[in-house]
Amino acid sequence: MFDLESLSSKIVEELTSLMDKNVIVTDKNGFIIASTDSNRLNSFHEGAAISMRNQQELHLTEELCNKLRGVRPGIVMPIIVSGAPIGVLGITGKPPEVEQYAKLVRKVVELFITDSISREEKERDIREIEFFFFDLVTTDSSAEVIQDRARMINIDSSLYRRIAVIQTYQQLEITDVESLLKIQTIHPELKIIRWGMEKLVLLMPDIKKEQMVDGLTNLSLRIQKKIRQKLPIGIGNFNHFHQLKDSFSQAETALAVSERQGKIVFEEDLKLELLYYSVREEVQKEFLKRTIEPLVEEEELMLTLEAWLKRKSSLQDLADELHIHKNTLIYRINKIQNILSVNLHDMNDLVIVYTAIRLYRKK
């Protein structure tokens, strides 16, 4: 239910900035809840109570003011929203003068309140989806329970098949989410959820991959205007709605890779990266310790090794690429082999070293 009291001070503030008149707002019972004159707060306004009861505008003449409690010359009018009175607006002054613009002022106030109610409803809808998604990915509810909850907040569970996660590096407001939903071109039924302090989660309908990439690219560019930083995006695999918990986890993995590669990453396209992020951090460190750790501080040798692993032509061409003499290249390769105790012409050793380099760079 709408709370007029929470908005009444804002109404008075806005109106007094537009006209040189004292303004009051009362509740349904005629008690003043906002006023230009703070001394009148919480006092009873009998004229407002009559206006509310009769649902009619009331002109408060000097004569009438002498008969009613807590009133001053002016006009009081019921505030009507969605066909129902929710309070009373009062403007002080001589009734014939105030009457010239009183109805316009009331209409402005009613539109202001209607807009505020609409914003509150949108914010409530977004929060309900956020609470629902949190439960979806952190609990093990049955498919039936999940679908029932989805229906309660008007989510068609048959539409959504995968999750995308965008790293925003700062928390966005609900108004930001509303704006993004208006301008996004991915799908009319896309849902955007704030996750933690620095991420957005997108409930993605079943659409083509190319359409998804184009839409996410455009959306991220809009967000970048506010964040002023390129935004990593990770996308999980297709799954049933009640199993989107898995798609979310996959999207998080893809997001970590996207942050390093600087492009949108689909978890389904990951290969070696999938192993990197599924292996515990301590195991990764131990693997690097047993393979290339003695070389990581030797920047020149590391660059030579990486170039060697990528080479597709002769030693001379590789030496030219590195801007060194061929004999210098051979010397470096021999030194690398001695430091790591490997044979860079042996396929098994090459695979181990290549994997270690990729794990170290995580690219």
Side-chain angles (χ1 to χ4, degrees):
M1 183 177 293
F2 177 72
D3 181 11
L4 177 61
E5 187 169 358
S6 64
L7 195 61
S8 58
S9 296
K10 182 68 174 175
I11 292 172
V12 169
E13 181 183 333
E14 291 293 329
L15 290 180
T16 51
S17 68
L18 296 174
M19 59 185 185
D20 186 23
K21 297 291 181 182
N22 286 329
V23 178
I24 65 165
V25 176
T26 79
D27 62 15
K28 291 182 177 182
N29 300 312
F31 286 91
I32 297 175
I33 56 177
S35 173
T36 313
D37 181 358
S38 59
N39 293 323
R40 302 186 73 187
L41 288 175
N42 302 315
S43 62
F44 179 67
H45 193 291
E46 192 173 357
I50 294 171
S51 176
M52 184 71 186
R53 184 169 61 248
N54 297 332
Q55 295 188 31
Q56 290 181 349
E57 177 182 306
L58 181 63
H59 289 222
L60 300 171
T61 62
E62 290 285 354
E63 180 182 0
L64 198 54
C65 287
N66 292 328
K67 297 179 181 179
L68 302 178
R69 285 187 295 157
V71 303
R72 296 177 182 176
I75 292 178
V76 287
M77 305 161 285
I79 302 170
I80 309 295
V81 175
S82 301
I86 64 170
V88 174
L89 173 68
I91 306 173
T92 60
K94 295 179 179 180
E97 295 177 0
V98 175
E99 186 179 21
Q100 299 176 26
Y101 52 84
K103 287 183 174 62
L104 177 60
V105 170
R106 180 173 70 173
K107 181 57 66 176
V108 169
V109 169
E110 290 172 349
L111 289 173
F112 181 75
I113 291 173
T114 300
D115 182 63
S116 296
I117 293 173
S118 176
R119 285 201 306 272
E120 281 188 4
E121 290 175 346
K122 290 177 181 177
E123 289 181 5
R124 185 177 63 249
D125 290 343
I126 289 174
R127 287 196 177 95
E128 283 181 344
I129 293 173
E130 289 177 347
F131 291 142
F132 169 73
F133 183 77
F134 178 82
D135 288 343
L136 181 66
V137 300
T138 59
T139 63
D140 295 316
S141 301
S142 67
E144 292 75 15
V145 169
I146 290 172
Q147 289 174 352
D148 286 344
R149 283 200 59 192
R151 279 193 292 268
M152 289 176 62
I153 58 175
N154 298 316
I155 290 182
D156 183 354
S157 59
S158 66
L159 282 177
Y160 304 99
R161 297 292 306 278
R162 70 161 81 196
I163 298 294
V165 180
I166 302 177
Q167 182 78 49
T168 59
Y169 298 109
Q170 69 181 55
Q171 187 176 36
L172 300 184
E173 302 297 329
I174 286 182
T175 52
D176 296 320
V177 175
E178 290 177 358
S179 298
L180 293 174
L181 286 170
K182 288 178 182 177
I183 57 93
Q184 62 88 18
T185 57
I186 299 170
H187 192 280
E189 297 299 324
L190 177 76
K191 303 295 183 186
I192 301 178
I193 299 150
R194 296 174 303 165
W195 186 257
M197 300 294 289
E198 299 183 344
K199 291 178 183 176
L200 291 179
V201 172
L202 280 61
L203 283 179
M204 305 289 293
D206 187 358
I207 58 177
K208 292 182 179 178
K209 199 170 181 177
E210 296 77 14
Q211 180 184 346
M212 195 179 303
V213 170
D214 290 342
L216 285 170
T217 299
N218 292 333
L219 188 65
S220 66
L221 289 174
R222 296 292 187 127
I223 303 173
Q224 282 172 214
K225 290 182 179 180
K226 177 182 178 70
I227 307 299
R228 301 187 182 281
Q229 187 173 352
K230 189 172 178 62
L231 307 179
I233 301 176
I235 304 172
N237 295 340
F238 280 107
N239 223 321
H240 295 294
F241 186 81
H242 64 278
Q243 294 174 318
L244 285 179
K245 180 178 183 178
D246 295 335
S247 185
F248 173 68
S249 177
Q250 293 160 351
E252 291 265 70
T253 298
L255 181 71
V257 179
S258 173
E259 194 165 10
R260 290 170 173 82
Q261 295 187 349
K263 64 180 182 180
I264 295 175
V265 174
F266 287 78
E267 197 271 349
E268 63 204 50
D269 295 333
L270 299 180
K271 295 177 178 65
L272 272 176
E273 298 92 347
L274 190 60
L275 294 178
Y276 301 157
Y277 290 95
S278 63
V279 176
R280 297 195 314 274
E281 188 70 25
E282 59 268 28
V283 176
Q284 294 184 36
K285 290 180 179 178
E286 183 62 27
F287 178 72
L288 293 176
K289 181 179 180 181
R290 298 182 187 187
T291 53
I292 63 169
E293 185 179 82
L295 205 66
V296 294
E297 299 298 328
E298 303 283 347
E299 183 177 352
E300 187 176 75
L301 294 181
M302 281 288 285
L303 292 174
T304 301
L305 176 58
E306 291 180 77
W308 173 271
L309 294 171
K310 294 176 183 176
R311 77 186 182 100
K312 298 179 181 178
S313 53
S314 66
L315 283 177
Q316 185 60 60
D317 291 337
L318 181 57
D320 293 340
E321 180 184 326
L322 293 171
H323 305 292
I324 58 177
H325 193 275
K326 181 180 177 181
N327 289 340
T328 303
L329 173 61
I330 293 172
Y331 168 78
R332 288 185 186 177
I333 294 299
N334 288 332
K335 187 175 182 180
I336 291 169
Q337 292 182 122
N338 290 332
I339 292 174
L340 299 183
S341 299
V342 297
N343 179 0
L344 292 179
H345 300 279
D346 180 87
M347 183 57 68
N348 289 331
D349 285 352
L350 276 175
V351 169
I352 291 171
V353 172
Y354 176 79
T355 303
I357 289 288
R358 289 289 301 272
L359 179 61
Y360 178 71
R361 299 297 189 194
K362 285 190 175 178
K363 289 184 179 180

